[in-house]
Amino acid sequence: MTVSTFLPDAASEPLVVLVSNRAVLTLPDDSLLLTPATVAISSTTGKIVFVAPAILPQEAFPASSTYVDYGNKLILPGLVDAHVHLNEPGRTEWEGFATGTRAAASGGVTTVIDMPLNAIPPTTTLEGFRVKLAAAQGQCWVDVGFYGGVIPGNADQLLPLVEAGVRGFKGFLIESGVEEFPAVSSSDIALAMTTLKDTPTTLMFHAEMLPPITDSVGDGVTRSDPPLAPKGELTSYSTFLESRPPAFETYAIEEILSMVDLAPQLHLHIVHLSATEAIPILRNARARGVNITAETCFHYLGLASDNIEDGDTRHKCCPPIREQSNQDKLWAELTAGDDSCIRTVVSDHSPCTPELKLLPDHLAVQPEFDEQNGAMLRRPSLRFHDSGIDVTLPEDLPEEKHDKTDCCGNHEHAAELSHVQQDAAAGPQGQGDFFAAWGGISSVGLGLPILYTTATKRATPLSVVDIVRLCCQATAKQVGLSHRKGGLKVGMDGDVCVFDDEEEWVLKAGDMKWKNKCSPWEGHQFKGRVRETWLRGRKVYQLGGGNGGFVSVKPVGEAITERRVV
């Protein structure tokens, strides 16, 4: 048997043929199968043109074909990370298209969806989207899709952004941490729902909200009088965890669900679900026919607050990493099959410069050497507000005073020193302070080893087929790209991840391909490592290859701007 039996024109078309004893294929009914397989990709179109659940010999293909036999290594669809902050333009010091997508490629991720905030301008207007696309041009090592943002006053921009090709929209029910992306009110949510109700899109929410209880501390924590004052050391993770209780998440989700009748068919989605107290609420809503899903993140499934040391602000994110018992319940929901409300797992890669993490000395990231100028790189200070706290360093403060109101409605003067700045007079500026440090976990491209390693240690582990469902197939569906991404099937993009599930390794700073080498995963031992990544039939990454592994030499990723239809 030769491939010409199935593809009469194969002799005239250059092919890339990948074979393995173990591959996860997508069947015609969209079920997944782990099987020996042969996958042929057109070098001209970048599309998969032939798939067989068996290993065909090299002689079955034209002599011009590139034929690679991976033996027992796994061939998987390229991962689709549906929650990544690339931050360019405006905060490229934190992350950018070039470095963020290189990191994705090194971990078998062939598509990332960029979040609308932390870039300046944010993707909340059609013009902002155009600026974003211009910044991405020629820099992407994998394919990149884009979300739009929902903020107060931009409802007239939502449909134009749909037409321009955004994959969905995100809004915050609590302050985002950057002033150009404010939180939405209930009326803003209602307006967004009614505007998008007949549109094939996804309306997503950062579901944290200050509940009407006197003991919550929330975003005003370090500037407010009791009961809003923290009840412990600011360098203690338990103090931070207590400041953002599960009620923040459950109250926000209840608020969203109270308005679902405005748009019964609209797909609603909760990003980075942390608190398992929200699961019964979501399950009940889905049982009533509400079209709502949730995602969780690699860090919630692999890290637990029980093991976070005081001052290790690399672990700060919002919602917070919770207790081991909470993590166990997340895993139970994740493995509940079709009944689960958690449909996808993503990175929420949300980096910043190491300085903004306020790391203690023993965790501090060393300054980078600028080879072009022959000097150590001094990063410019950036003004921002995280959890409502201005942590601009004292020397960067303007002399004039500016009145402002924080997200809790507390009126204050910007020129008054925060506790971080007060500490500066006595020593290092807020080192290890979980409330003043910027929140976010860097992990794009690391998700597959995290999830596989953690799953193998649990009594009811996820299979590799489950991981493909959660991190490839379902994430592609979430953003309307299941017709071309997230599966090994004829007609889909030839995006492939080659995964060695036997290799054991320890993550070092040099293994991090994102811009700022700061992550709580440093020093963790993993089982399973990505060996190669193929994007639309072109090898873009090979572990140990030249150019730091980026063997395509130059970026070949594309911006995805096709209008979403499902």
Side-chain angles (χ1 to χ4, degrees):
M1 180 176 68
T2 67
V3 72
S4 60
T5 306
F6 306 96
L7 297 172
D9 298 329
S12 61
E13 183 174 22
L15 297 176
V16 171
V17 182
L18 310 179
V19 303
S20 171
N21 293 321
R22 297 183 301 155
V24 178
L25 304 182
T26 303
L27 301 182
D29 64 356
D30 285 337
S31 61
L32 300 171
L33 176 67
L34 179 64
T35 175
T38 301
V39 178
I41 305 166
S42 166
S43 297
T44 303
T45 67
K47 297 289 186 180
I48 297 173
V49 294
F50 174 81
V51 175
I55 296 178
L56 301 185
Q58 186 170 0
E59 294 74 25
F61 297 89
S64 61
S65 301
T66 299
Y67 185 94
V68 186
D69 186 346
Y70 289 106
N72 209 41
K73 294 182 177 62
L74 283 158
I75 291 181
L76 310 176
L79 277 68
V80 178
D81 193 337
H83 192 143
V84 175
H85 294 265
L86 292 176
N87 301 345
E88 188 174 1
R91 292 189 175 92
T92 313
E93 275 294 310
W94 298 13
E95 189 64 276
F97 286 106
T99 49
T101 58
R102 280 166 69 98
S106 72
V109 178
T110 50
T111 308
V112 300
I113 313 298
D114 176 58
M115 279 292 166
L117 72 157
N118 292 352
I120 303 173
T123 314
T124 53
T125 65
L126 190 57
E127 179 57 28
F129 187 31
R130 290 170 178 153
V131 172
K132 169 76 74 169
L133 290 174
Q137 189 172 7
Q139 293 204 76
C140 299
W141 291 80
V142 301
D143 289 348
V144 180
F146 304 86
Y147 290 122
V150 175
I151 62 171
N154 83 322
D156 64 324
Q157 296 291 309
L158 303 185
L159 293 180
L161 283 167
V162 170
E163 293 297 323
V166 300
R167 315 315 304 170
F169 295 89
K170 179 184 182 181
F172 278 71
L173 276 73
I174 198 168
E175 288 304 317
S176 70
V178 291
E179 60 187 18
E180 65 274 3
F181 204 97
V184 291
S185 66
S186 296
S187 60
D188 297 319
I189 296 172
L191 185 55
M193 285 185 174
T194 55
T195 301
L196 297 170
K197 65 179 181 179
D198 297 320
T199 304
T201 193
T202 299
L203 181 56
M204 310 182 299
F205 297 97
H206 179 126
E208 284 188 291
M209 190 174 184
L210 293 175
I213 55 177
T214 58
D215 203 33
S216 69
V217 291
D219 288 4
V221 60
T222 60
R223 288 195 302 258
S224 303
D225 296 327
L228 296 181
K231 298 178 180 178
E233 294 293 329
L234 303 185
T235 56
S236 171
Y237 187 79
S238 62
T239 306
F240 172 67
L241 181 59
E242 290 169 5
S243 79
R244 297 184 96 98
F248 276 34
E249 295 186 62
T250 57
Y251 190 66
I253 292 171
E254 293 279 18
E255 182 74 7
I256 295 161
L257 290 172
S258 72
M259 291 177 270
V260 295
D261 289 344
L262 296 172
Q265 305 305 314
L266 181 62
H267 178 209
L268 305 175
H269 184 72
I270 305 302
V271 300
H272 49 50
L273 181 72
S274 167
T276 52
E277 287 83 351
I279 289 174
I281 301 171
L282 292 167
R283 275 181 166 259
N284 289 338
R286 288 173 57 81
R288 300 195 311 268
V290 178
N291 186 11
I292 190 168
T293 56
E295 68 189 34
T296 193
C297 301
F298 303 117
H299 44 272
Y300 298 136
L301 295 170
L303 300 172
S305 62
D306 312 53
N307 304 315
I308 299 176
E309 296 181 0
D310 288 354
D312 193 348
T313 51
R314 295 176 301 175
H315 292 81
K316 181 186 175 178
C317 59
C318 299
I321 297 165
R322 301 191 187 277
E323 303 86 351
Q324 182 65 57
S325 58
N326 183 84
Q327 184 191 102
D328 293 341
K329 293 175 184 176
L330 283 176
W331 273 93
E333 182 65 14
L334 199 66
T335 55
D338 293 339
D339 292 333
S340 176
C341 64
I342 300 176
R343 312 303 288 185
T344 54
V345 184
V346 296
S347 70
D348 187 11
H349 176 69
S350 186
C352 66
T353 59
E355 293 88 342
L356 298 184
K357 275 294 186 182
L358 300 177
L359 295 167
D361 288 340
H362 70 286
L363 296 174
V365 177
Q366 297 300 315
E368 295 181 31
F369 184 75
D370 185 345
E371 294 183 1
Q372 183 174 354
N373 297 316
M376 300 306 293
L377 182 64
R378 183 184 185 276
R379 302 185 187 280
S381 300
L382 292 173
R383 192 182 181 100
F384 73 96
H385 306 272
D386 180 37
S387 297
I389 302 162
D390 183 352
V391 297
T392 307
L393 302 184
E395 60 268 25
D396 299 319
L397 282 174
E399 293 183 1
E400 66 272 17
K401 294 185 177 182
H402 299 280
D403 289 344
K404 66 178 180 179
T405 303
D406 73 9
C407 62
C408 298
N410 299 317
H411 191 70
E412 57 159 348
H413 294 287
E416 292 178 1
L417 296 182
S418 70
H419 75 284
V420 177
Q421 296 154 356
Q422 291 167 358
D423 288 347
Q429 293 149 348
Q431 286 185 336
D433 184 332
F434 279 100
F435 293 90
W438 179 259
I441 304 290
S442 292
S443 64
V444 66
L446 197 58
L448 183 54
I450 292 171
L451 200 54
Y452 185 80
T453 301
T454 309
T456 58
K457 296 178 180 179
R458 302 190 69 88
T460 54
L462 263 69
S463 69
V464 69
V465 171
D466 292 325
I467 292 174
V468 168
R469 172 176 53 84
L470 291 163
C471 301
C472 307
Q473 185 180 56
T475 44
K477 181 180 179 181
Q478 177 183 312
V479 297
L481 290 173
S482 56
H483 61 291
R484 57 178 287 198
K485 299 292 185 182
L488 299 180
K489 183 179 179 181
V490 170
M492 302 184 78
D493 287 357
D495 298 348
V496 177
C497 167
V498 180
F499 186 61
D500 182 351
D501 59 340
E502 292 297 325
E503 181 172 348
E504 296 188 2
W505 60 291
V506 175
L507 179 71
K508 300 177 182 178
D511 299 317
M512 303 178 196
K513 306 301 183 182
W514 49 81
K515 176 163 289 191
N516 294 294
K517 318 301 183 188
C518 178
S519 174
W521 294 106
E522 184 175 0
H524 281 248
Q525 181 165 335
F526 296 107
K527 183 175 182 181
R529 194 167 196 180
V530 172
R531 305 296 302 186
E532 293 182 10
T533 303
W534 295 72
L535 178 67
R536 286 179 277 104
R538 297 182 63 172
K539 187 191 294 187
V540 294
Y541 177 79
Q542 179 176 331
L543 183 66
N547 193 32
F550 299 96
V551 293
S552 63
V553 181
K554 64 179 182 178
V556 295
E558 298 176 352
I560 299 173
T561 57
E562 63 181 68
R563 188 185 186 279
R564 182 170 176 173
V565 296
V566 293

